[in-house]
Amino acid sequence: QVQLVESGGGLVQAGGSLRLSCAASERIASFNTMGWYRQAPGKQRELVATITSGSITNYADSVKGRFTISRDNAKNAVYLQMNSLKPEDTASYCCNAGRWSSDSRPQIYWGQGTQVTVSS
């Protein structure tokens, strides 16, 4: 079973920065897409950013220009650099990884999440 472990969350003032890390228990090069999602209390989980195995990135409109997703295949890790943080960015941030199995079934994995709290 693939394990994804997030770290780097915390409490930060508005305008500040945090860098989240997601460490995978196996080679991330095997995943077609990895990404970050977030869920605030009382709200649905939403996509923050994704990155493909070819390093093509996609961002939610709400974070474009402020957040940057990256991957390091050698370290089996994915990162989310978050700048100019706003109170509305407060949420639990989860790492996600997806790929197709050899018999064409989707395999989706989730981390436990790391809390980000932005104070005004």
Side-chain angles (χ1 to χ4, degrees), residues 6-11 18-21 82 114-117:
E6 302 95 336
S7 61
L11 174 64
L18 283 174
R19 188 190 191 215
L20 305 184
S21 299
M82 305 186 296
T114 184
Q115 179 66 34
V116 172
T117 303

Side-chain angles (χ1 to χ4, degrees), residues 5 17-18 25 34-36 45 61 67 78 83 86 96 106:
V5 180
S17 299
L18 283 174
S25 61
M34 298 192 72
W36 289 94
R45 183 167 59 194
D61 287 343
F67 290 11
V78 175
N83 299 327
K86 304 175 181 180
N96 164 279

